[in-house]
Amino acid sequence: MSDAKFFQRGKIQELRLELNSDKKDRNYTRKKQTLKKIVANMTMGNDMSSLHPDVIACMSIPVLEVKKMVYLFLINYAKAKPEMAYEAIQTFRRDVEDPNPLIRALAIRTMGYIHVDKVTSCLIQPLRHCMRDQDPYVRKTAAVCVAKLFMQDRHLVENAGFIDLLREMLVDSNPSVVANAVAALTEISERSDHIQLQLNMSIASKLVTALNECSEWGQTYILESLMFVVPQEPGDAEMLAERIAPRLQHANSAVVLTAVKVIVYLMNYMSREEDILSMCKKLSPPLVTLLSSGPEVQYVGLRNILLVIQKHPEILKNDIKIFFCKYNDPIYVKMAKLEIMFRLASEHNVEQVLSELKEYATEVDVDFVRKAVRSIGRLAVKIESTAQRCVEALLELIQTKVNYVVQESIVVIKDIFRKYPNQYESIIGVLCENLDNLDEPEAKAAMIWIIGQYADRIENSDELLDDFLYTFLEETVEVQLALLTATVKLFIKRPTAGQDLVPKVLKWATEEVDNPDLRDRGYIYWRLLSTDVAAAKAVVLSEKPHISTETDNMDPVLLEELLLHIASLSAIYHKAPTTFIPHCKPRFLIPSPALRRQNYNVGRTLQHQDSYSSLHNSSSAQFHQSQSNVRSSQSDGDDGNGGLDEFVSSPKQPQHQRLSYHEQSFEQVAEASIGNQEYYEQKINAENPYRTDTGAVGGSQANKGGGVDLMSFDL
Amino acid sequence: MTLFSLFTNTHSDLFSDRKVIIEKHWHELIPRRVVDFFNDQVSRAMADGEDVTREDVLPIISSPKYQLINVYRDGLTYLSPVTKEVDPMMVFEFLHRIPDIMQEYFGQVSETVIKENFVTVYQLLEEMMDDGFPLTTEPNALKEIVPAPNILNKVITTMGATTSVSTRKMPHGMSNLPWRKAGVKYTSNEIFFDIVEEIDAIVDSTGKAVSCEAHGAIQTNSRLSGMPDLTLSFVNPRLVDDCSFHQSVRFNKWESDKVLSFVPPDGHFRLMSYRVNLPSQQNLPIQVKPSINIGANGAKFDITVSLRNTDGKPVENTVLTLPLHKSTTTLTAHCNVGQYMFDPVGKVLRWDIGKIVPRERAPVLSGSFGFGSSSEAAGNAGYNIGVEFLINSHSLSGLKVDVLKLFNESYKPYKGVRTMTKAGRYQVRA
């Protein structure tokens, strides 16, 4: 029997009559049909809320299907009509005591959806019961319900003892219940200002045991929660990683990627290189497998792979072929693959990579072709031995005369000239044949830079520049700046050829253009040239700083943060979650005696801190103070890395601190430790903010027996 | 980690008629406006270039308030707007489960099917997720909570004889094996294994494989009564690596003995998937040799297909597709086997060869095509040929099932194994 007929727009009055009809209704078949019509109308967006007294009257019918539809109706309209929810409370109360566990669970689940204060307060008592229900289905539903309730009323959940009840559920005999409890705790921890989930090794170990038996989604929850384990000894990290490694072979890609995340995280706490290497070896095959899935999964996989290989270049270093693009890959997959190919390119495989890139440059998609051409240039800069072949490839592409290919090639050839000065000037002639076709500012500026740089080698460099200067005032600033500098270079290298052009350009730059950069640069050149030509020469023709593809690397601090968010949105956007998700709790590597030192380049990191602080202008004064602290410790040369570690692990908002408490009363059950605001404020005042290491060691030792494994630290 | 709302809407290139068929919120109501925004973005992306299709639209689109995670399948878009940091892999997995489950329940997925069964669909969605947490997605477990619309159920509802809830026994995935329901009974017990291997390859014009991989999967259809405990062993298990398993498979047994030990779910499921690394091109069963000579106004081409390593088996359902440059207007060709078709709108040449028997004459397609206007881009564009084929009773890896042992039940089941090799993402560059 088809349900499609229910989509016919039913008149409310008719439906009401049908629902209240006195006709004999064996087994409520008629009522069921009518309710189906109502639900169908509701989903079409027709307002059925005026039927609520009649629908609620059906709640007492002891048929699950009917109940489900009535509950669906209630959830849909309760927000708009709270009085409707009040009428249903009595039946709710009856249903949570029903002998059928399905009905108990359905009732508790539905109540959790109804965000009406009166209903919420009626939920507390039954929910507590359900969390200790004898039926695991009810218990697991109740666990999720606590997370639901938390979204509505945080204080209620924190003060009514629900957190403790959830914590008890972590040792439940049913793995599905454990998984849901852990999911609820993680959820609450991520959302709460002053609850922070932290798991010690003994509970982590229990959770890993439950992993084997629970559903695929349950496995993701449990794996995710392992991100809140801070191994105190390297052996802990290795043991845990070893035990979750089988998850890498799960059929569900979410399980796989979450396992990758946890293992990459744990690797920070491993001490022996060979353990790390062996883990890296295990990570490659599952990442490859992700690429045989559908395009969405591939895309998520690729973006995450790009992060992982920056931290651990050993991973996938022999698997470059799987990143070669198929012509019918979606464009976003191709783009992501291209980036990885570039990263994995090395002396060994550069031949293949280059021939692939040449292939891609003949495809139809403009953006992809551009990126391929650009990659050829970057490849030349990255691997010196291949530069010659890359240049040849680019020349071939220029010969195709396809406009955007030519322009893109010229932009990257400029970089090659910068990296390898005076090696490839012979190709300048070919470049100059294409001057007339350049219409993109970046390509124009690149070509002008080349002409200026080699003004003394190009016979007619003055004529070429003169041609460009013809439209000087209409050009973009980028091109104008390039023209200005190139003309000055020409004048210095060949004074007679440049003497007519220079005054013209300087006059335009300083008098006819509004852009302050251009004007300032014009004045500087003017003064230099008019006072001391030798000095001008030294400045303008000075040795250029080296360029390398290092600049393509992601900032290590950001990378570290993103690695803690593998498999999440931020790992796809490659943006810190705090920059686009409101109220997001930042994650950081928590120091422990086992944490490996991060070998960051100090200069780069400091540079990053500046951009960081400007990104987070709202952050407190304490944050800035912490920065200066890091700086001074570095400039003193004493334990610069230690300072950095702390920086990396500093939370940006003070309310997110973890805290320690040593209440032994939690011995039996309190393996997941969670604290409250009052306590932690006292604690912070007592602690020296930079004593994290000792604090952690002490904390872990003091608490080993108790199963509570916490530490506190401040910025 | 959580997904709060789902919109399923139709998508059609020809009409700008995109309507919402399913709307389901597991947390708070997200206004439908978001669907308009999404459709807008899709239209905009597709207007970007003539080659951009719906498949090229990013699976995650940023909007000021939501991150729009979407999956496009069978002409339907499954859209989930999220506001917080989520695991998109999980959302994708979940979104794909929805049509999977509908397929399992209704036999097919389309706008009409969803509308015909929408009450069941909503019940399913209700069970599959709670407050953004995926709940029950195992078809076996779901079928115990939400009955599938089979003939019997229909008869029961029309007769007005409904099963009352209280008489039903406690079901739903809370048994020790969440993937298997209790009390399965068949009069004839049988289990079928399909070993399907797909070749993904990029082959250059000289016939050399630029990259080549094979993925295999063992699709299983189990119709066994009770709680059968199975052990499947292979003659040569070491041929496969990088395996992933259905959750019923005991991983430790595989690690130690290289056998698959499991209690199967009832019905269809994927027991295992694996990867075969192919050492060289010698293993490719088919060779396609294209030659395309491009001039200013058009090109001459011929394509030869020959068999290589097929163990004497014929290659079936062979189809070659050659997308041509957009400026192509005319095409003339001749082939000695099968038939060809030129789609002048999509600019695709499709050559349906069908069955190729070893040692018979090699199929050849030759001809020429012309560009409407001579352009440099058309002259320089690269060409790729997509290849589809299938070889029955052949496994590229050589993986062979040895024995299937059954424990815990006393009956003797019928056991069937089939192997098949086919082209996955297989293409030849011209």
Side-chain angles (χ1 to χ4, degrees), chain A residues 3 27 40 64 113 148 187 191 216-217 221 249 253 285 289 296 298 322 327 331 356 567-568 570 573, chain B residues 26 56 67 84-85 87-88 93 96-97 116 118 131 134 137 160 165 210 213 242 244 251 425 427 429:
Chain A
D3 290 339
N27 295 314
L64 189 59
Y113 278 125
K148 252 188 259 184
E187 182 75 20
R191 294 272 173 141
E216 47 194 330
W217 312 109
Y221 305 145
Q249 283 171 297
S253 53
T289 304
E296 306 91 10
Q298 280 189 50
I322 56 154
Y327 77 94
I331 180 70
E356 279 299 298
S568 67
S570 28
Y573 296 138
Chain B
W26 284 278
D56 284 321
Q67 313 299 325
K84 49 176 232 159
E85 183 68 317
D87 174 350
E93 280 279 353
H96 275 291
R97 285 310 153 85
E116 274 176 8
F118 86 101
D131 195 40
T137 50
V165 189
V210 176
E213 274 191 66
D242 188 20
S244 55
F251 184 73
R425 281 174 279 200
Q427 54 189 253
R429 288 175 179 162

Side-chain angles (χ1 to χ4, degrees), chain B residues 101-117:
Chain B
I101 297 279
M102 291 200 284
Q103 177 79 34
E104 184 79 25
Y105 264 75
F106 315 125
Q108 53 169 319
V109 183
S110 70
E111 185 184 344
T112 330
V113 169
I114 292 177
K115 281 198 163 167
E116 274 176 8
N117 297 288

Side-chain angles (χ1 to χ4, degrees), chain A residues 441 444-445 448 469 471-487 505 508-509 512-515 518 521 525:
Chain A
K444 269 191 189 176
I448 293 165
L469 286 171
T471 50
F472 183 87
L473 292 173
E474 287 105 65
E475 298 291 355
T476 62
V477 177
E478 186 184 8
V479 179
Q480 288 173 332
L481 283 170
L483 272 172
L484 174 62
T485 306
T487 314
V505 177
W508 279 332
E512 309 230 349
V513 178
D514 291 333
N515 185 288
L518 191 63
R521 199 186 288 188
Y525 283 146

